[in-house]
PDB file of all heavy atoms in Angstrom:
ATOM      1  N   ALA Z  19       9.093  16.910   0.775  1.00 60.00           N
ATOM      2  CA  ALA Z  19       9.260  16.268  -0.535  1.00 60.00           C
ATOM      3  C   ALA Z  19      10.519  16.728  -1.253  1.00 60.00           C
ATOM      4  O   ALA Z  19      11.074  16.012  -2.076  1.00 60.00           O
ATOM      5  CB  ALA Z  19       8.033  16.549  -1.402  1.00 60.00           C
ATOM      6  N   GLU Z  20      10.986  17.915  -0.953  1.00 65.00           N
ATOM      7  CA  GLU Z  20      12.165  18.444  -1.634  1.00 65.00           C
ATOM      8  C   GLU Z  20      13.469  18.008  -0.979  1.00 65.00           C
ATOM      9  O   GLU Z  20      14.538  18.236  -1.515  1.00 65.00           O
ATOM     10  CB  GLU Z  20      12.099  19.978  -1.680  1.00 65.00           C
ATOM     11  CG  GLU Z  20      10.865  20.506  -2.399  1.00 65.00           C
ATOM     12  CD  GLU Z  20      10.744  19.970  -3.824  1.00 65.00           C
ATOM     13  OE1 GLU Z  20      11.752  19.981  -4.549  1.00 65.00           O
ATOM     14  OE2 GLU Z  20       9.643  19.544  -4.188  1.00 65.00           O
ATOM     15  N   HIS Z  21      13.368  17.398   0.181  1.00 65.00           N
ATOM     16  CA  HIS Z  21      14.580  17.025   0.914  1.00 65.00           C
ATOM     17  C   HIS Z  21      14.720  15.510   0.909  1.00 65.00           C
ATOM     18  O   HIS Z  21      13.952  14.802   1.573  1.00 65.00           O
ATOM     19  CB  HIS Z  21      14.489  17.536   2.350  1.00 65.00           C
ATOM     20  CG  HIS Z  21      15.775  17.435   3.082  1.00 65.00           C
ATOM     21  ND1 HIS Z  21      16.206  16.269   3.673  1.00 65.00           N
ATOM     22  CD2 HIS Z  21      16.742  18.356   3.322  1.00 65.00           C
ATOM     23  CE1 HIS Z  21      17.373  16.471   4.250  1.00 65.00           C
ATOM     24  NE2 HIS Z  21      17.712  17.726   4.050  1.00 65.00           N
ATOM     25  N   PRO Z  22      15.674  14.945   0.147  1.00 62.00           N
ATOM     26  CA  PRO Z  22      15.794  13.489   0.064  1.00 62.00           C
ATOM     27  C   PRO Z  22      15.998  12.820   1.414  1.00 62.00           C
ATOM     28  O   PRO Z  22      15.539  11.706   1.645  1.00 62.00           O
ATOM     29  CB  PRO Z  22      16.995  13.251  -0.847  1.00 62.00           C
ATOM     30  CG  PRO Z  22      17.479  14.566  -1.285  1.00 62.00           C
ATOM     31  CD  PRO Z  22      16.665  15.632  -0.626  1.00 62.00           C
ATOM     32  N   ARG Z  23      16.680  13.475   2.326  1.00 72.00           N
ATOM     33  CA  ARG Z  23      16.876  12.872   3.645  1.00 72.00           C
ATOM     34  C   ARG Z  23      15.559  12.792   4.401  1.00 72.00           C
ATOM     35  O   ARG Z  23      15.358  11.889   5.208  1.00 72.00           O
ATOM     36  CB  ARG Z  23      17.930  13.674   4.437  1.00 72.00           C
ATOM     37  CG  ARG Z  23      18.272  13.056   5.759  1.00 72.00           C
ATOM     38  CD  ARG Z  23      18.890  11.649   5.588  1.00 72.00           C
ATOM     39  NE  ARG Z  23      18.699  10.910   6.808  1.00 72.00           N
ATOM     40  CZ  ARG Z  23      18.370   9.629   6.895  1.00 72.00           C
ATOM     41  NH1 ARG Z  23      18.221   8.918   5.822  1.00 72.00           N
ATOM     42  NH2 ARG Z  23      18.206   9.043   8.043  1.00 72.00           N
ATOM     43  N   GLY Z  24      14.625  13.718   4.131  1.00 77.00           N
ATOM     44  CA  GLY Z  24      13.315  13.658   4.770  1.00 77.00           C
ATOM     45  C   GLY Z  24      12.571  12.402   4.371  1.00 77.00           C
ATOM     46  O   GLY Z  24      11.958  11.724   5.198  1.00 77.00           O
ATOM     47  N   LEU Z  25      12.652  12.048   3.094  1.00 80.00           N
ATOM     48  CA  LEU Z  25      12.013  10.830   2.607  1.00 80.00           C
ATOM     49  C   LEU Z  25      12.682   9.605   3.219  1.00 80.00           C
ATOM     50  O   LEU Z  25      12.009   8.682   3.673  1.00 80.00           O
ATOM     51  CB  LEU Z  25      12.084  10.781   1.076  1.00 80.00           C
ATOM     52  CG  LEU Z  25      11.458   9.568   0.401  1.00 80.00           C
ATOM     53  CD1 LEU Z  25       9.968   9.473   0.713  1.00 80.00           C
ATOM     54  CD2 LEU Z  25      11.690   9.640  -1.106  1.00 80.00           C
ATOM     55  N   GLU Z  26      14.001   9.602   3.261  1.00 84.00           N
ATOM     56  CA  GLU Z  26      14.729   8.472   3.859  1.00 84.00           C
ATOM     57  C   GLU Z  26      14.389   8.330   5.341  1.00 84.00           C
ATOM     58  O   GLU Z  26      14.225   7.217   5.839  1.00 84.00           O
ATOM     59  CB  GLU Z  26      16.239   8.634   3.677  1.00 84.00           C
ATOM     60  CG  GLU Z  26      16.700   8.479   2.255  1.00 84.00           C
ATOM     61  CD  GLU Z  26      16.269   7.171   1.624  1.00 84.00           C
ATOM     62  OE1 GLU Z  26      16.413   6.104   2.259  1.00 84.00           O
ATOM     63  OE2 GLU Z  26      15.766   7.216   0.495  1.00 84.00           O
ATOM     64  N   HIS Z  27      14.278   9.459   6.035  1.00 81.00           N
ATOM     65  CA  HIS Z  27      13.925   9.418   7.455  1.00 81.00           C
ATOM     66  C   HIS Z  27      12.536   8.803   7.640  1.00 81.00           C
ATOM     67  O   HIS Z  27      12.334   7.959   8.529  1.00 81.00           O
ATOM     68  CB  HIS Z  27      13.968  10.818   8.067  1.00 81.00           C
ATOM     69  CG  HIS Z  27      13.432  10.860   9.462  1.00 81.00           C
ATOM     70  ND1 HIS Z  27      14.107  10.327  10.530  1.00 81.00           N
ATOM     71  CD2 HIS Z  27      12.259  11.329   9.952  1.00 81.00           C
ATOM     72  CE1 HIS Z  27      13.386  10.484  11.633  1.00 81.00           C
ATOM     73  NE2 HIS Z  27      12.255  11.084  11.297  1.00 81.00           N
ATOM     74  N   ALA Z  28      11.576   9.203   6.793  1.00 82.00           N
ATOM     75  CA  ALA Z  28      10.220   8.670   6.903  1.00 82.00           C
ATOM     76  C   ALA Z  28      10.212   7.168   6.637  1.00 82.00           C
ATOM     77  O   ALA Z  28       9.562   6.404   7.354  1.00 82.00           O
ATOM     78  CB  ALA Z  28       9.290   9.385   5.929  1.00 82.00           C
ATOM     79  N   ILE Z  29      10.942   6.735   5.616  1.00 85.00           N
ATOM     80  CA  ILE Z  29      11.015   5.308   5.293  1.00 85.00           C
ATOM     81  C   ILE Z  29      11.637   4.539   6.455  1.00 85.00           C
ATOM     82  O   ILE Z  29      11.099   3.515   6.890  1.00 85.00           O
ATOM     83  CB  ILE Z  29      11.805   5.093   3.982  1.00 85.00           C
ATOM     84  CG1 ILE Z  29      10.972   5.599   2.794  1.00 85.00           C
ATOM     85  CG2 ILE Z  29      12.198   3.626   3.808  1.00 85.00           C
ATOM     86  CD1 ILE Z  29      11.730   5.672   1.489  1.00 85.00           C
ATOM     87  N   ASP Z  30      12.741   5.051   6.998  1.00 86.00           N
ATOM     88  CA  ASP Z  30      13.395   4.384   8.133  1.00 86.00           C
ATOM     89  C   ASP Z  30      12.473   4.307   9.345  1.00 86.00           C
ATOM     90  O   ASP Z  30      12.404   3.281  10.029  1.00 86.00           O
ATOM     91  CB  ASP Z  30      14.689   5.114   8.515  1.00 86.00           C
ATOM     92  CG  ASP Z  30      15.765   5.011   7.446  1.00 86.00           C
ATOM     93  OD1 ASP Z  30      15.641   4.161   6.542  1.00 86.00           O
ATOM     94  OD2 ASP Z  30      16.725   5.807   7.510  1.00 86.00           O
TER      95      ASP Z  30
END
Side-chain angles (χ1 to χ4, degrees):
E20 301 304 314
H21 191 278
R23 185 62 203 140
L25 180 61
E26 291 305 314
H27 172 72
I29 289 170
D30 293 345

